[in-house]
Coordinates of all heavy atoms in Angstrom, one line a residue:
M10 N 15.8 43.6 26.3 CA 15.7 44.9 27.0 C 16.5 44.8 28.3 O 16.5 43.9 29.0 CB 14.2 45.2 27.3 CG 14.0 46.5 27.9 SD 12.2 46.9 28.2 CE 11.6 47.2 26.6
T11 N 17.2 45.9 28.5 CA 18.1 45.9 29.7 C 17.3 46.4 30.9 O 16.2 47.0 30.8 CB 19.3 46.9 29.5 OG1 18.8 48.2 29.4 CG2 20.1 46.5 28.3
F12 N 17.9 46.3 32.1 CA 17.3 46.8 33.3 C 17.0 48.3 33.2 O 15.9 48.8 33.5 CB 18.2 46.6 34.5 CG 17.9 47.6 35.7 CD1 16.8 47.4 36.5 CD2 18.8 48.7 35.9 CE1 16.5 48.3 37.5 CE2 18.5 49.6 36.9 CZ 17.4 49.4 37.7
F13 N 18.0 49.1 32.6 CA 17.8 50.5 32.5 C 16.6 50.8 31.6 O 15.8 51.7 31.8 CB 19.1 51.2 32.0 CG 19.0 52.6 31.8 CD1 19.1 53.5 32.9 CD2 18.8 53.2 30.6 CE1 19.0 54.8 32.8 CE2 18.7 54.6 30.5 CZ 18.8 55.4 31.6
E14 N 16.5 50.1 30.5 CA 15.4 50.3 29.5 C 14.1 50.0 30.2 O 13.1 50.8 29.9 CB 15.6 49.5 28.3 CG 16.8 50.0 27.4 CD 17.2 49.0 26.3 OE1 16.9 47.7 26.5 OE2 17.8 49.4 25.3
R15 N 14.0 48.9 31.0 CA 12.8 48.6 31.7 C 12.4 49.7 32.7 O 11.3 50.2 32.8 CB 12.9 47.3 32.4 CG 12.4 46.1 31.5 CD 12.4 44.8 32.3 NE 13.7 44.3 32.6 CZ 14.5 43.8 31.7 NH1 14.1 43.7 30.4 NH2 15.7 43.4 32.0
L16 N 13.4 50.2 33.4 CA 13.2 51.3 34.3 C 12.7 52.6 33.6 O 11.7 53.2 34.1 CB 14.5 51.6 35.1 CG 14.4 52.8 36.1 CD1 13.3 52.5 37.2 CD2 15.7 53.0 36.8
E17 N 13.3 52.9 32.5 CA 12.8 54.1 31.7 C 11.4 53.9 31.2 O 10.6 54.8 31.3 CB 13.8 54.3 30.6 CG 15.1 54.8 31.0 CD 15.0 56.2 31.6 OE1 14.8 57.2 30.8 OE2 15.1 56.3 32.8
E18 N 11.1 52.7 30.8 CA 9.7 52.4 30.4 C 8.7 52.6 31.5 O 7.7 53.2 31.3 CB 9.7 51.0 29.8 CG 8.4 50.6 29.1 CD 8.5 49.2 28.5 OE1 8.2 48.3 29.3 OE2 8.8 49.1 27.3
L19 N 9.0 52.1 32.7 CA 8.2 52.2 33.8 C 8.0 53.7 34.2 O 6.9 54.2 34.5 CB 8.7 51.4 35.0 CG 8.6 49.9 34.9 CD1 9.4 49.3 36.0 CD2 7.1 49.5 35.1
R20 N 9.2 54.4 34.2 CA 9.2 55.8 34.6 C 8.3 56.6 33.7 O 7.5 57.4 34.1 CB 10.6 56.3 34.6 CG 10.8 57.7 35.1 CD 12.3 58.1 35.0 NE 12.8 58.2 33.6 CZ 12.5 59.1 32.7 NH1 11.7 60.0 33.0 NH2 13.1 59.0 31.5
K21 N 8.5 56.4 32.4 CA 7.7 57.2 31.4 C 6.2 56.8 31.4 O 5.4 57.7 31.2 CB 8.3 56.9 30.0 CG 9.7 57.6 29.8 CD 10.3 57.3 28.5 CE 11.7 58.0 28.4 NZ 12.3 57.6 27.2
S22 N 5.9 55.6 31.8 CA 4.5 55.2 31.8 C 3.8 55.9 33.0 O 2.6 56.2 33.0 CB 4.3 53.7 32.0 OG 4.7 53.3 33.3
K23 N 4.6 56.3 34.0 CA 4.0 57.0 35.2 C 4.2 58.5 35.0 O 3.9 59.3 35.9 CB 4.7 56.6 36.5 CG 4.6 55.1 36.8 CD 3.2 54.9 37.3 CE 3.1 53.4 37.8 NZ 1.7 53.0 38.1
K24 N 4.8 58.9 33.9 CA 5.0 60.3 33.6 C 5.8 61.1 34.7 O 5.4 62.1 35.1 CB 3.7 61.0 33.3 CG 3.0 60.5 32.0 CD 1.7 61.2 31.8 CE 1.0 60.8 30.5 NZ 0.5 59.5 30.4
I25 N 6.9 60.4 35.1 CA 7.7 61.0 36.1 C 9.2 61.2 35.6 O 9.7 60.3 34.9 CB 7.7 60.2 37.4 CG1 8.5 60.8 38.5 CG2 8.2 58.8 37.2 CD1 8.3 60.2 39.9
S26 N 9.8 62.3 35.8 CA 11.1 62.6 35.3 C 12.1 61.8 36.1 O 11.9 61.3 37.3 CB 11.4 64.1 35.4 OG 11.6 64.4 36.8
Q27 N 13.3 61.6 35.6 CA 14.4 60.9 36.3 C 14.7 61.6 37.6 O 14.8 61.0 38.6 CB 15.7 60.9 35.4 CG 15.9 59.6 34.9 CD 17.3 59.5 34.1 OE1 18.1 60.4 34.3 NE2 17.4 58.5 33.3
G28 N 14.8 62.9 37.5 CA 15.1 63.7 38.7 C 14.1 63.6 39.8 O 14.4 63.4 41.0
K29 N 12.8 63.6 39.4 CA 11.8 63.5 40.4 C 11.8 62.1 41.0 O 11.5 61.9 42.2 CB 10.4 63.8 39.8 CG 9.3 63.7 40.8 CD 8.0 64.3 40.3 CE 7.0 64.2 41.5 NZ 5.8 65.0 41.2
L30 N 12.0 61.1 40.2 CA 12.0 59.7 40.7 C 13.2 59.5 41.7 O 13.0 58.9 42.8 CB 12.2 58.7 39.5 CG 12.3 57.2 39.9 CD1 11.0 56.8 40.7 CD2 12.5 56.4 38.7
E31 N 14.4 60.1 41.4 CA 15.5 60.0 42.3 C 15.1 60.7 43.6 O 15.4 60.2 44.7 CB 16.7 60.7 41.7 CG 17.3 59.9 40.5 CD 18.3 60.7 39.7 OE1 18.3 61.9 39.7 OE2 19.1 60.0 39.0
K32 N 14.5 61.8 43.5 CA 14.1 62.5 44.8 C 13.1 61.7 45.6 O 13.2 61.6 46.8 CB 13.5 63.9 44.4 CG 13.2 64.8 45.6 CD 12.8 66.2 45.1 CE 12.5 67.0 46.3 NZ 12.0 68.4 46.0
E33 N 12.1 61.2 44.9 CA 11.0 60.4 45.5 C 11.6 59.2 46.3 O 11.1 58.8 47.4 CB 10.0 59.9 44.5 CG 9.1 61.0 43.9 CD 7.8 61.1 44.6 OE1 7.3 60.1 45.2 OE2 7.2 62.2 44.4
L34 N 12.6 58.6 45.7 CA 13.2 57.4 46.3 C 14.4 57.7 47.2 O 14.9 56.8 47.8 CB 13.6 56.4 45.1 CG 12.5 55.9 44.3 CD1 13.0 55.0 43.2 CD2 11.5 55.1 45.1
G35 N 14.8 58.9 47.3 CA 15.9 59.3 48.1 C 17.3 59.0 47.6 O 18.2 58.8 48.3
F36 N 17.4 58.9 46.2 CA 18.6 58.7 45.6 C 19.3 60.0 45.2 O 18.6 61.0 45.0 CB 18.4 57.8 44.3 CG 17.8 56.5 44.5 CD1 17.2 55.8 43.4 CD2 17.7 55.9 45.7 CE1 16.6 54.6 43.6 CE2 17.1 54.7 45.9 CZ 16.6 54.0 44.8
S37 N 20.6 60.0 45.1 CA 21.3 61.2 44.7 C 21.1 61.5 43.2 O 20.7 60.6 42.4 CB 22.8 61.1 45.0 OG 23.3 60.0 44.2
N38 N 21.2 62.8 42.8 CA 21.1 63.2 41.5 C 22.0 62.5 40.6 O 23.2 62.4 40.9 CB 21.3 64.7 41.3 CG 20.2 65.5 41.9 OD1 19.1 65.0 42.2 ND2 20.5 66.8 42.2
G39 N 21.6 62.0 39.5 CA 22.4 61.3 38.5 C 22.5 59.8 38.8 O 23.2 59.1 38.0
S40 N 22.0 59.3 39.8 CA 22.1 57.9 40.2 C 21.5 57.0 39.0 O 22.1 56.0 38.6 CB 21.3 57.5 41.4 OG 21.8 58.1 42.5
I41 N 20.3 57.4 38.5 CA 19.7 56.5 37.5 C 20.5 56.5 36.2 O 20.6 55.4 35.6 CB 18.2 57.0 37.3 CG1 17.4 56.8 38.5 CG2 17.6 56.4 36.1 CD1 16.0 57.3 38.5
S42 N 21.0 57.6 35.8 CA 21.9 57.6 34.6 C 23.0 56.7 34.7 O 23.4 56.1 33.7 CB 22.4 59.1 34.3 OG 21.3 59.9 34.0
K43 N 23.6 56.5 35.8 CA 24.7 55.6 36.0 C 24.4 54.2 35.7 O 25.2 53.3 35.4 CB 25.3 55.7 37.4 CG 26.0 57.1 37.7 CD 26.5 57.2 39.1 CE 27.0 58.6 39.4 NZ 27.4 58.7 40.8
W44 N 23.1 53.8 35.9 CA 22.7 52.5 35.7 C 22.6 52.0 34.3 O 22.2 50.9 34.0 CB 21.3 52.2 36.4 CG 21.4 52.5 37.9 CD1 22.6 52.4 38.7 CD2 20.4 52.8 38.8 NE1 22.3 52.7 40.0 CE2 21.0 53.0 40.1 CE3 19.0 53.1 38.7 CZ2 20.2 53.3 41.2 CZ3 18.3 53.4 39.8 CH2 18.9 53.5 41.0
K45 N 22.9 52.9 33.3 CA 23.0 52.5 31.9 C 24.2 51.5 31.8 O 24.1 50.6 31.0 CB 23.3 53.7 31.0 CG 22.2 54.6 30.9 CD 22.6 55.8 30.0 CE 21.5 56.8 29.9 NZ 21.9 58.0 29.2
T46 N 25.2 51.6 32.7 CA 26.4 50.7 32.6 C 26.6 49.9 33.8 O 27.6 49.2 33.9 CB 27.6 51.6 32.2 OG1 27.8 52.6 33.2 CG2 27.5 52.2 30.9
S47 N 25.8 50.1 34.9 CA 26.0 49.4 36.1 C 24.7 49.0 36.7 O 23.6 49.4 36.2 CB 26.9 50.2 37.1 OG 26.1 51.4 37.5
M48 N 24.7 48.3 37.8 CA 23.4 47.9 38.4 C 23.3 48.6 39.8 O 24.3 48.7 40.5 CB 23.4 46.4 38.6 CG 23.2 45.6 37.4 SD 21.7 46.0 36.5 CE 20.5 45.4 37.7
P49 N 22.1 48.9 40.2 CA 21.9 49.4 41.6 C 22.1 48.3 42.6 O 22.0 47.1 42.3 CB 20.5 50.0 41.5 CG 19.8 49.2 40.5 CD 20.9 48.9 39.5
T50 N 22.2 48.7 43.9 CA 22.3 47.7 44.9 C 21.0 47.0 45.1 O 19.9 47.5 44.7 CB 22.6 48.4 46.3 OG1 21.5 49.3 46.6 CG2 23.9 49.2 46.2
P51 N 21.0 45.8 45.7 CA 19.7 45.1 46.0 C 18.7 46.0 46.7 O 17.5 45.9 46.4 CB 20.2 43.9 46.8 CG 21.6 43.7 46.4 CD 22.1 45.1 46.2
E52 N 19.2 46.8 47.7 CA 18.3 47.6 48.4 C 17.6 48.6 47.5 O 16.4 48.9 47.6 CB 19.0 48.4 49.6 CG 19.5 47.5 50.6 CD 20.9 46.8 50.3 OE1 21.5 47.2 49.3 OE2 21.2 45.8 51.0
R53 N 18.3 49.2 46.6 CA 17.7 50.2 45.7 C 16.8 49.5 44.7 O 15.8 50.0 44.3 CB 18.8 51.0 44.9 CG 19.5 52.0 45.9 CD 20.5 52.8 45.1 NE 20.9 53.9 46.0 CZ 21.4 55.0 45.7 NH1 21.5 55.3 44.4 NH2 21.8 55.9 46.5
L54 N 17.2 48.3 44.2 CA 16.3 47.5 43.4 C 14.9 47.3 44.0 O 13.9 47.4 43.4 CB 16.9 46.2 43.0 CG 17.9 46.1 41.9 CD1 18.6 44.8 41.7 CD2 17.2 46.5 40.5
Q55 N 15.0 47.0 45.3 CA 13.7 46.7 46.0 C 12.9 48.0 46.1 O 11.7 48.0 46.0 CB 14.0 46.2 47.4 CG 12.8 45.7 48.2 CD 12.1 44.6 47.4 OE1 12.6 43.5 47.3 NE2 10.8 44.8 47.0
K56 N 13.5 49.1 46.4 CA 12.8 50.4 46.5 C 12.1 50.7 45.1 O 11.0 51.1 45.1 CB 13.8 51.6 46.8 CG 14.0 51.8 48.3 CD 14.9 53.0 48.4 CE 14.7 53.5 49.9 NZ 15.5 54.8 50.0
I57 N 12.8 50.5 44.0 CA 12.3 50.7 42.7 C 11.1 49.8 42.4 O 10.1 50.2 42.0 CB 13.4 50.6 41.6 CG1 14.5 51.6 41.8 CG2 12.8 50.6 40.2 CD1 15.8 51.3 41.1
A58 N 11.3 48.5 42.8 CA 10.3 47.5 42.5 C 9.0 47.9 43.3 O 7.9 47.8 42.8 CB 10.7 46.1 42.9
D59 N 9.2 48.2 44.6 CA 8.1 48.6 45.4 C 7.4 49.9 44.9 O 6.1 50.0 44.9 CB 8.5 48.9 46.9 CG 8.9 47.6 47.6 OD1 8.6 46.5 47.1 OD2 9.6 47.8 48.7
Y60 N 8.1 50.8 44.5 CA 7.6 52.1 43.9 C 6.7 51.9 42.7 O 5.6 52.4 42.6 CB 8.7 53.0 43.6 CG 8.3 54.4 43.1 CD1 8.0 55.4 44.0 CD2 8.1 54.7 41.8 CE1 7.6 56.7 43.6 CE2 7.7 55.9 41.3 CZ 7.5 56.9 42.3 OH 7.0 58.2 41.9
F61 N 7.1 51.0 41.8 CA 6.4 50.8 40.6 C 5.4 49.6 40.7 O 4.7 49.3 39.7 CB 7.3 50.6 39.4 CG 8.0 51.8 39.0 CD1 9.3 52.1 39.2 CD2 7.3 52.8 38.3 CE1 10.0 53.2 38.8 CE2 7.9 54.0 37.9 CZ 9.2 54.2 38.1
G62 N 5.5 48.8 41.8 CA 4.6 47.7 42.0 C 4.9 46.5 41.1 O 4.0 45.8 40.6
V63 N 6.2 46.3 40.9 CA 6.7 45.2 40.1 C 7.6 44.4 41.0 O 8.1 44.8 42.0 CB 7.4 45.6 38.8 CG1 6.4 46.4 37.9 CG2 8.6 46.5 39.1
S64 N 8.0 43.2 40.5 CA 9.0 42.4 41.2 C 10.4 42.8 40.8 O 10.6 43.3 39.7 CB 8.7 40.9 40.9 OG 9.0 40.6 39.5
I65 N 11.4 42.4 41.6 CA 12.8 42.6 41.2 C 13.1 41.7 40.0 O 13.8 42.1 39.1 CB 13.7 42.2 42.4 CG1 13.6 43.3 43.5 CG2 15.2 42.2 41.9 CD1 14.4 43.0 44.7
E66 N 12.5 40.5 39.9 CA 12.7 39.7 38.8 C 12.3 40.4 37.5 O 12.9 40.3 36.5 CB 11.9 38.4 38.9 CG 12.1 37.4 37.8 CD 11.4 36.1 37.9 OE1 10.9 35.8 39.0 OE2 11.3 35.4 36.9
Y67 N 11.1 41.1 37.5 CA 10.7 41.8 36.4 C 11.7 42.9 36.0 O 12.0 43.1 34.8 CB 9.3 42.5 36.6 CG 8.9 43.3 35.4 CD1 8.5 42.8 34.2 CD2 9.0 44.7 35.5 CE1 8.2 43.6 33.1 CE2 8.7 45.5 34.4 CZ 8.3 45.0 33.2 OH 8.1 45.8 32.2
L68 N 12.2 43.6 37.0 CA 13.2 44.7 36.7 C 14.4 44.1 36.0 O 15.0 44.7 35.1 CB 13.6 45.4 37.9 CG 12.6 46.3 38.6 CD1 13.1 46.8 39.9 CD2 12.2 47.5 37.6
M69 N 14.9 42.9 36.5 CA 16.1 42.3 36.0 C 15.9 41.6 34.6 O 16.8 41.7 33.8 CB 16.6 41.3 37.0 CG 16.9 42.0 38.4 SD 18.1 43.3 38.3 CE 19.6 42.4 37.8
S70 N 14.8 40.9 34.5 CA 14.7 40.0 33.3 C 13.5 40.4 32.4 O 13.5 39.9 31.3 CB 14.6 38.6 33.8 OG 13.3 38.4 34.4
G71 N 12.6 41.1 32.9 CA 11.4 41.4 32.1 C 10.3 40.3 32.3 O 9.2 40.5 31.7
K72 N 10.6 39.3 33.0 CA 9.7 38.2 33.3 C 8.9 38.5 34.6 O 9.4 39.3 35.4 CB 10.4 36.9 33.4 CG 11.0 36.5 32.1 CD 11.8 35.2 32.2 CE 12.5 34.9 30.9 NZ 13.4 33.8 31.0
D73 N 7.9 37.7 34.8 CA 7.1 37.9 36.0 C 6.5 39.3 36.0 O 6.8 40.1 36.9 CB 7.9 37.7 37.3 CG 7.1 37.7 38.6 OD1 5.9 37.4 38.5 OD2 7.7 38.0 39.6
E74 N 5.6 39.6 35.1 CA 5.0 40.9 34.9 C 4.6 41.5 36.2 O 4.8 40.9 37.2 CB 3.8 40.7 34.0 CG 4.1 40.3 32.6 CD 4.9 41.4 31.8 OE1 4.7 42.6 31.9 OE2 5.8 41.0 31.0
A75 N 4.2 42.7 36.1 CA 3.8 43.5 37.3 C 3.0 42.7 38.3 O 2.1 41.9 38.0 CB 3.0 44.7 36.9
K76 N 3.4 42.8 39.6 CA 2.7 42.1 40.7 C 1.3 42.7 40.8 O 1.1 43.8 40.5 CB 3.4 42.3 42.0 CG 4.8 41.7 42.1 CD 5.3 41.7 43.5 CE 5.6 43.1 44.0 NZ 6.2 43.2 45.3
D77 N 0.4 41.9 41.3 CA -0.9 42.3 41.5 C -1.0 43.0 42.9 O -1.1 42.3 43.9 CB -2.0 41.2 41.4 CG -3.4 41.7 41.6 OD1 -3.6 42.9 41.6 OD2 -4.3 40.9 41.8
N78 N -0.8 44.3 42.9 CA -0.8 45.0 44.2 C -2.1 45.7 44.4 O -2.1 46.8 45.1 CB 0.4 45.9 44.3 CG 1.7 45.2 44.6 OD1 1.7 44.1 45.1 ND2 2.8 45.9 44.4
S79 N -3.2 45.3 43.8 CA -4.4 46.0 43.8 C -4.9 46.3 45.2 O -5.6 47.2 45.5 CB -5.5 45.3 43.0 OG -5.7 44.0 43.4
S80 N -4.5 45.4 46.2 CA -5.0 45.5 47.5 C -3.9 46.1 48.5 O -4.2 46.2 49.6 CB -5.6 44.2 48.1 OG -4.5 43.3 48.1
E81 N -2.8 46.3 47.9 CA -1.7 46.8 48.7 C -1.3 48.3 48.3 O -1.4 48.6 47.2 CB -0.4 46.0 48.5 CG -0.6 44.6 49.0 CD 0.7 43.8 48.8 OE1 1.8 44.4 48.9 OE2 0.6 42.6 48.6
L82 N -0.9 49.0 49.3 CA -0.5 50.4 49.0 C 1.0 50.4 48.7 O 1.8 49.7 49.4 CB -0.7 51.3 50.2 CG -2.2 51.6 50.6 CD1 -2.2 52.4 51.9 CD2 -2.9 52.3 49.5
T83 N 1.4 51.2 47.7 CA 2.9 51.3 47.4 C 3.4 52.3 48.4 O 2.7 53.1 49.1 CB 3.1 51.7 46.0 OG1 2.6 53.0 45.8 CG2 2.5 50.8 45.0
A84 N 4.8 52.4 48.4 CA 5.4 53.4 49.3 C 5.0 54.8 48.8 O 4.8 55.7 49.7 CB 6.9 53.3 49.2
R85 N 4.8 55.0 47.5 CA 4.4 56.3 47.0 C 3.0 56.6 47.5 O 2.7 57.7 47.9 CB 4.4 56.3 45.5 CG 4.1 57.6 44.9 CD 4.2 57.6 43.4 NE 4.0 59.0 42.9 CZ 3.9 59.3 41.6 NH1 4.1 58.3 40.7 NH2 3.7 60.5 41.2
D86 N 2.1 55.6 47.5 CA 0.7 55.8 48.0 C 0.7 56.2 49.4 O 0.0 57.1 49.8 CB -0.1 54.5 47.8 CG -0.4 54.1 46.4 OD1 -0.4 55.0 45.5 OD2 -0.6 52.9 46.2
E87 N 1.5 55.5 50.2 CA 1.6 55.9 51.6 C 2.1 57.3 51.9 O 1.6 58.0 52.7 CB 2.5 54.9 52.4 CG 1.9 53.5 52.4 CD 2.8 52.4 53.0 OE1 4.0 52.8 53.4 OE2 2.4 51.3 53.1
R88 N 3.1 57.7 51.1 CA 3.6 59.1 51.2 C 2.5 60.1 50.8 O 2.4 61.1 51.5 CB 4.9 59.3 50.4 CG 6.1 58.7 50.9 CD 7.4 59.2 50.2 NE 7.3 58.9 48.8 CZ 7.7 57.8 48.2 NH1 8.2 56.8 48.9 NH2 7.6 57.7 46.9
D89 N 1.8 59.8 49.7 CA 0.8 60.7 49.3 C -0.3 60.8 50.3 O -0.8 61.9 50.6 CB 0.2 60.3 47.9 CG 1.2 60.4 46.8 OD1 2.2 61.2 47.0 OD2 0.9 59.8 45.7
I90 N -0.7 59.7 50.9 CA -1.8 59.7 51.9 C -1.3 60.5 53.2 O -2.0 61.4 53.7 CB -2.2 58.3 52.4 CG1 -2.9 57.6 51.2 CG2 -3.0 58.3 53.6 CD1 -3.1 56.2 51.4
A91 N 0.0 60.3 53.6 CA 0.5 61.1 54.7 C 0.5 62.6 54.4 O 0.2 63.4 55.3 CB 1.9 60.6 55.0
K92 N 0.9 63.0 53.2 CA 0.9 64.4 52.8 C -0.5 65.0 52.9 O -0.7 66.1 53.4 CB 1.4 64.6 51.4 CG 2.9 64.4 51.3 CD 3.4 64.6 49.8 CE 4.8 64.3 49.7 NZ 5.2 64.3 48.2
D93 N -1.5 64.2 52.4 CA -2.9 64.6 52.4 C -3.4 64.8 53.8 O -4.1 65.8 54.2 CB -3.8 63.7 51.7 CG -3.6 63.7 50.2 OD1 -3.0 64.7 49.7 OD2 -4.1 62.8 49.5
L94 N -3.0 63.9 54.7 CA -3.5 63.9 56.1 C -2.8 65.1 56.8 O -3.5 65.8 57.6 CB -3.1 62.6 56.8 CG -3.9 61.4 56.4 CD1 -3.4 60.2 57.1 CD2 -5.4 61.6 56.8
N95 N -1.6 65.4 56.5 CA -0.9 66.6 57.1 C -1.6 67.9 56.6 O -1.5 68.9 57.4 CB 0.6 66.6 56.8 CG 1.3 65.6 57.6 OD1 0.9 65.1 58.6 ND2 2.4 65.1 57.0
N96 N -2.1 67.9 55.4 CA -2.8 69.1 54.9 C -4.1 69.3 55.5 O -4.7 70.2 55.8 CB -2.9 69.1 53.4 CG -1.5 69.3 52.8 OD1 -0.6 69.9 53.4 ND2 -1.3 68.8 51.6

């Protein structure tokens, strides 16, 4: 399985569209589609890993299954909490 296939699997498991994921992470439209044939920068890999609660190693190789972040908030969790507090 390729990096792109793993990313698609994670994205679909969270029921989030490519466009919405790009927007959530601050990536330009079409960024994810380009990764079918290329790799994102290390900074973007880290953003993706943090968002889904997995390691970069998992994104790249499929090994080192999802990190146990049960006690940590993801970047998405923090944004959602901030939105709730603002409301």
Side-chain angles (χ1 to χ4, degrees):
M10 183 179 285
T11 66
F12 158 75
F13 182 79
E14 291 168 335
R15 268 186 291 286
L16 177 58
E17 287 295 284
E18 189 175 84
L19 288 167
R20 183 183 64 73
K21 289 176 182 175
S22 73
K23 298 288 186 186
K24 296 180 172 70
I25 185 169
S26 69
Q27 253 186 18
K29 184 168 181 167
L30 179 59
E31 289 167 339
K32 186 176 180 180
E33 291 260 340
L34 296 176
F36 301 162
S37 62
N38 290 341
S40 294
I41 293 174
S42 293
K43 292 178 186 175
W44 298 336
K45 288 178 187 176
T46 57
S47 65
M48 289 298 297
T50 64
E52 294 80 14
R53 286 185 173 205
L54 276 173
Q55 189 62 60
K56 276 186 159 183
I57 295 164
D59 291 345
Y60 183 86
F61 287 109
V63 298
S64 67
I65 291 177
E66 182 179 346
Y67 173 75
L68 290 174
M69 300 301 294
S70 68
K72 296 178 184 169
D73 186 26
E74 293 294 322
K76 295 188 295 186
D77 180 14
N78 281 342
S79 56
S80 63
E81 295 180 33
L82 295 176
T83 65
R85 183 178 186 182
D86 293 334
E87 290 174 2
R88 283 192 305 272
D89 290 345
I90 290 169
K92 286 178 187 175
D93 288 344
L94 289 173
N95 285 335
N96 290 334

